[in-house]
Every structure is written in structure tokens, then in C-alpha cells.
């Protein structure tokens, strides 16, 4: 899963990079199209001016050429006034002017063609620049839309992944708990039931052979069965503290503490700071289990006379502290591998992204503080 999301993350970021680079390229195209437009605009203006000048020139030389032609006509008709040489000169002049006008006209034609061509290219270039500019804005919009969406997607994925990890850890913890309970049933009630069967058979035999002993044996069997019933109730409670569902976390803790105090003659005080709230089932069970194991340890190891449980709720987190006034222990000392209690507490806290602190010193009592952030509050 983490590898998949890593890959996905890479793909998403590469996609954004590619789009970002494309945006830059389109921007460059738009820039060069714009400067090309400016250059062409100048060229069009120049060629227009040149064309105007050449038209004026053509007009001018056409007039001159007409004049020359009229002069040639006059000269060639009036033999008396003009010599052969005059006629030749006039003819040459007219001819030269005619040539000049023809050349200029050709130049004008070429210039006009060039101008039209340039104007078409210019119009196209303007269109290209406009298109590129529009694309830049569109890509920009798409980009911001996409990156904010990808960001959301990424956050969603991360959230899902976290939830999945919590789910896996809870399943693992539950599996472990089931194994422990199964072992408990196997070693406890299952064996006891086998025992009950044997003892019932013994009662049958007594009925025939020594009925005077039967009453005593039946009473013993009854006591034995009753104590087994007690064990079974405990196992059922271990499976799921029903109070949690019915009452919520703090009342369930209070009830458990009252039972505990009654059973082991250790005074327990439970205080709630803040509003009573409901949390996710996983959180409630985890906190309950931690409290249970802490009290268990108090009874097993601390020789305490008093325990204080303080639960503090805020909208962001729930904190629970369990303090005893017992003998304490060295927290830094490595616990033997068969000790599951403290390790289990830490695991529960870690599963829910919380923290667990143990403070203890010889003769100074022990306090266990667990803080779990509230992710979602169930109504
Ligand atoms: N409240 C306490 N007061 C004094 N010592 C404690 C207390 N809690 C824990 N300890 C010490 O820390 C050790 C580890 O506790 P932990 O709950 O992990 O294991 P355990 O209680 O010995 O066994 P398990 O919980 O697996 O049945 C205990 O053996 C005990 O020495
Ligand atoms: Mg323990």
C-alpha cells in the first residue's frame, strides 16, 4: 500500500511538472509570437510607405512620359522647326521614360504583392499570438484546478492509508486478544467443564455406593461450578465490556473502578474534567483496556492504597491519567518478554496515534498518562 501511494504520488507530481513545463513553453510561444507581430507590424508599415512612395513616383514619371510623348509628336510633325537630331532625341527621351515607367510599375506591382502577402502573414501571426495567450490562461486555470484537486486527492489517499493502517493494527490487536481469550477458555472453563463431568459421574457412583457422601460432594460441585461461572463472566467481560456500549467511556470506567475497589480493597477515585463525550469504538475500547491493565498492575505489583483516575476531554484530544501511591518501579529497566501489559498499552496508544507516558520511581508511586487525539467524534 505505501509503495503504491508512493508511486501514485510520483505520478501526480510528474503530471503537474509536465503541465507546468508545457505552460512555460506555451508562454514562450506566446511571447515570441507577440514580438514577431510587433516586428511584422513595423514591416507592414514600412512597405505601405514604400508602396505609397513608388505610386507617387509612378504618377510623376507617367506625367513626364506623357509630356515626352506629346513633345515627340510635336517634334516629329514639325519638320521645319526641328531637325532629325531633335526628333531622335525626343524619341529617345520618350522611350527612356516609357521604360522607366514600366520598370517602376513592375516594382509597384511586386511591392503590392509583397504587401498583401505580409498583411496575410501578419493577420495569421496575430491570431497565433491570441491563441497562445488564451492557451496560457486556460492551462493556468486547468493547472490551478488540477493541482488543488490533486492536493485533495493526495490528502484523501493519505487519510485512507492512515485509516487502513489503524484498521490493520486494530485487527492484529484483536486477533491477539482472541488468541489470549481462546487460551483462557481452553485452560479455564473448558478444563473445568471436563472436571464437572468427571465429578458428576462420581456423584452417580456415590448415589449407588455411598449416598451419605453425595450431599457433600454435590455442594462442592456447586461451589466449583459457581466459581467457574465467575471465570466465564470474566471472559465475557474481557471479550467486550458491555458498559462501554451502554454507558460510554467514563461511566464504564467508573463502574469498573467501583468493582475493582470493592474486590481488592484499594480506594479508587475517578474524575472527569470537561464534557462527557462519545468517541469512536476503537478509541473507547483502547482507553478502557489501558485503564483495565493499569488497575491490574496496581493490584498485582504496586501495593498501593489509593488510585486516582483523571479523564480530561477537549474537542481535540482525550487524556487519561492513572496514578497510584504504591511502591513504584524502574521505568527504564527492560521488561521481560512475557510481560505484555505495558507493551499492550503502548500499542493501543500508538494505533490511535496517541502518546503514553509512564512516570514511576521506587517508593513514589506510578502514573500512566495516555493522550489520544480526537479524529472524529461520533454523535
Ligand atoms: N503500578 C505499578 N506499580 C509497580 N510496578 C509496576 C506497576 N505497573 C507495572 N509495574 C512493573 O512493571 C512490570 C511490567 O508490567 P506489565 O504489565 O508489562 O507486565 P506484568 O503485569 O508483569 O505481566 P502481564 O501484564 O503481561 O500479565 C511489572 O512486572 C511490574 O514490575
Ligand atoms: Mg500487567
Amino acid at each position: 500500500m505505501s509503495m503504491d501511494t508512493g508511486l501514485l504520488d510520483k505520478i501526480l507530481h510528474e503530471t503537474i511538472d509536465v503541465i507546468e513545463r508545457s505552460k512555460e513553453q506555451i508562454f514562450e510561444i506566446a511571447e515570441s509570437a507577440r514580438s514577431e507581430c510587433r516586428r511584422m507590424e513595423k514591416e507592414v508599415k514600412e512597405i505601405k510607405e514604400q508602396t505609397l512612395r513608388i505610386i507617387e513616383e509612378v504618377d510623376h514619371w507617367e506625367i513626364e512620359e506623357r509630356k515626352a510623348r506629346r513633345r515627340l509628336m510635336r517634334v516629329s510633325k514639325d519638320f521645319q522647326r526641328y531637325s532629325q537630331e531633335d526628333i531622335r532625341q525626343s524619341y529617345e527621351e520618350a522611350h527612356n521614360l516609357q521604360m522607366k515607367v514600366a520598370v517602376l510599375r513592375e516594382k509597384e506591382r511586386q511591392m503590392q504583392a509583397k504587401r498583401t502577402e505580409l498583411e496575410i502573414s501578419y493577420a495569421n501571426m496575430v491570431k497565433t499570438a491570441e491563441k497562445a495567450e488564451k492557451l496560457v490562461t486556460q492551462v493556468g486555470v486547468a493547472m490551478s484546478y488540477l493541482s488543488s484537486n490533486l492536493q485533495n486527492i493526495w490528502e484523501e489517499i493519505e487519510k485512507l492509508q492512515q485509516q487502513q493502517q489503524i484498521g490493520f493494527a486494530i485487527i492484529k490487536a484483536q486477533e491477539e486478544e482472541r488468541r489470549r481469550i481462546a487460551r483462557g477458555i481452553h485452560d479455564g472453563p473448558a478444563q473445568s467443564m471436563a472436571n464437572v463431568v468427571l465429578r458428576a459421574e462420581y456423584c452417580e457412583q456415590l448415589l449407588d455406593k455411598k449416598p451419605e457422601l453425595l450431599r457433600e460432594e454435590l455442594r462442592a460441585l456447586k461451589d466449583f461450578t459457581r466459581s467457574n461461572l465467575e471465570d466465564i463472566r470474566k471472559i465475557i467481560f474481557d471479550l467486550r465490556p458491555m458498559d462501554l456500549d451502554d454507558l460510554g467511556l467514563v461511566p464504564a470506567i467508573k463502574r469498573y473502578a467501583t468493582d475493582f475497589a470493592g474486590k481488592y480493597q484499594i480506594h479508587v477515585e475517578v474524575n472527569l474534567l470537561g464534557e462527557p463525550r462519545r468517541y469512536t469504538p476503537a478509541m473507547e475500547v483502547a482507553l478502557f483496556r489501558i485503564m483495565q491493565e493499569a488497575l491490574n498492575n496496581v493490584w498485582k505489583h504496586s501495593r498501593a492504597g489509593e488510585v486516582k483516575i483523571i479523564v480530561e476531554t477537549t474537542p481535540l484530544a482525550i487524556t487519561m491519567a492513572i496514578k497510584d501511591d504504591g511502591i513504584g518501579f524502574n521505568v527504564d529497566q527492560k521488561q521481560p518478554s512475557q510481560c505484555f501489559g505495558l507493551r499492550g498499552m503502548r500499542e493501543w496508544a500508538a494505533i490511535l496515534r496517541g502518546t503514553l507516558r509512564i512516570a514511576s520511581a521506587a517508593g513514589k508511586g506510578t502514573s500512566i498518562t495516555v493522550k489520544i487525539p480526537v479524529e472524529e467524534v461520533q454523535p
Side-chain angles (χ1 to χ4, degrees):
M1 175 76 190
S2 65
M3 225 189 84
D4 288 353
T5 48
L7 192 66
L8 200 58
D9 188 33
K10 204 168 149 240
I11 292 169
L12 294 183
H13 282 103
E14 272 171 13
T15 309
I16 293 184
D17 275 359
V18 168
I19 296 172
E20 190 72 69
R21 273 202 302 277
S22 314
K23 189 182 151 191
E24 277 161 25
Q25 278 166 7
I26 298 170
F27 187 76
E28 273 167 26
I29 292 172
E31 271 293 283
S32 60
R34 237 174 284 142
S35 72
E36 187 62 16
C37 273
R38 280 193 294 274
R39 196 188 59 75
M40 282 175 122
E41 203 175 13
K42 240 163 82 194
E43 218 176 315
V44 168
K45 207 172 141 208
E46 267 166 28
I47 210 158
K48 265 186 189 163
E49 280 165 7
Q50 278 176 20
T51 318
L52 270 180
R53 270 202 302 277
I54 213 153
I55 287 170
E56 277 169 14
E57 231 179 313
V58 169
D59 286 351
H60 170 76
W61 289 112
E62 267 178 354
I63 293 168
E64 289 305 309
E65 190 234 332
R66 272 201 296 278
K67 274 190 200 157
R69 251 190 291 140
R70 276 201 294 274
R71 195 173 127 74
L72 175 63
M73 259 169 3
R74 261 197 330 274
V75 172
S76 47
K77 275 181 195 157
D78 201 342
F79 295 108
Q80 276 144 9
R81 265 181 72 188
Y82 300 104
S83 67
Q84 198 67 20
E85 181 54 25
D86 285 336
I87 296 168
R88 201 190 53 78
Q89 256 182 23
S90 291
Y91 174 78
E92 209 134 283
E93 205 178 332
H95 179 71
N96 283 346
L97 279 170
Q98 206 177 9
M99 289 301 285
K100 189 170 184 156
V101 166
V103 167
L104 278 173
R105 275 216 187 99
E106 178 55 24
K107 209 169 158 191
E108 184 196 333
R109 199 192 57 76
Q110 278 175 9
M111 205 83 107
Q112 292 278 24
K114 199 174 162 197
R115 180 183 149 173
T116 316
E117 199 183 313
L118 206 65
E119 271 172 347
I120 290 169
S121 308
Y122 173 69
N124 282 340
M125 195 45 88
V126 168
K127 265 191 212 145
T128 305
E130 278 169 2
K131 242 189 232 168
E133 265 159 31
K134 214 165 147 190
L135 257 179
V136 170
T137 359
Q138 277 171 353
V139 170
V141 171
M143 182 68 189
S144 63
Y145 176 76
L146 210 59
S147 48
S148 73
N149 263 342
L150 288 184
Q151 193 58 35
N152 287 347
I153 289 171
W154 180 232
E155 277 165 14
E156 280 302 311
I157 289 172
E158 221 165 11
K159 223 159 69 194
L160 274 176
Q161 201 188 359
Q162 273 183 11
Q163 278 170 5
Q164 205 180 30
Q165 273 170 2
I166 292 177
F168 283 152
I170 288 175
I171 288 167
K172 200 173 145 249
Q174 279 175 346
E175 214 30 61
E176 226 135 77
E177 217 165 75
R178 285 212 181 104
R179 200 173 301 137
R180 222 191 49 211
I181 290 161
R183 176 142 293 277
I185 293 172
H186 178 268
D187 294 348
Q191 263 177 27
S192 302
M193 285 305 136
N195 218 330
V196 168
V197 173
L198 283 180
R199 287 174 84 161
E201 279 168 3
Y202 178 56
C203 285
E204 270 177 351
Q205 289 166 13
L206 284 183
L207 188 62
D208 296 333
K209 294 172 190 158
K210 289 184 188 153
E212 68 280 9
L213 292 181
L214 184 60
R215 181 183 294 274
E216 193 47 40
E217 182 52 34
L218 274 176
R219 184 174 299 128
L221 182 57
K222 204 166 77 185
D223 286 348
F224 181 71
T225 312
R226 190 175 286 135
S227 91
N228 274 307
L229 203 60
E230 212 26 56
D231 285 350
I232 290 171
R233 284 217 182 92
K234 197 172 162 298
I235 288 167
I236 292 171
F237 183 82
D238 273 354
L239 274 172
R240 174 79 194 165
M242 306 285 184
D243 286 353
L244 265 188
D245 299 324
D246 304 340
L247 308 173
L249 182 65
V250 176
I253 289 176
K254 276 186 178 156
R255 183 179 278 188
Y256 187 84
T258 310
D259 287 352
F260 177 87
K263 210 149 128 195
Y264 301 115
Q265 301 303 306
I266 299 171
H267 183 255
V268 188
E269 201 181 295
V270 182
N271 286 312
L272 168 69
L273 308 175
E275 297 292 312
R277 296 166 195 269
R278 292 304 307 246
Y279 301 95
T280 58
M283 265 175 88
E284 292 192 339
V285 168
L287 286 160
F288 192 86
R289 294 292 188 217
I290 290 170
M291 178 277 307
Q292 230 179 332
E293 174 55 21
L295 286 186
N296 230 349
N297 281 348
V298 168
W299 168 68
K300 265 165 75 180
H301 312 292
S302 78
R303 289 188 237 146
E306 197 178 291
V307 185
K308 278 201 178 102
I309 301 176
I310 300 155
V311 179
E312 190 184 356
T313 62
T314 70
L316 296 179
I318 177 163
T319 311
M320 178 175 72
I322 299 128
K323 302 179 186 182
D324 68 55
D325 62 351
I327 56 167
F329 70 105
N330 183 0
V331 180
D332 299 325
Q333 202 173 334
K334 201 172 176 300
Q335 302 298 336
S337 59
Q338 72 272 21
C339 289
F340 293 111
L342 296 180
R343 223 179 316 144
M345 286 189 202
R346 287 191 199 284
E347 264 167 31
W348 271 120
I351 284 170
L352 295 161
R353 296 180 196 286
T355 52
L356 186 115
R357 268 187 308 118
I358 302 171
S360 188
K364 295 228 168 109
T366 301
S367 91
I368 289 176
T369 311
V370 55
K371 183 173 183 181
I372 294 178
V374 173
E375 281 185 351
E376 52 188 82
V377 181
Q378 302 234 319

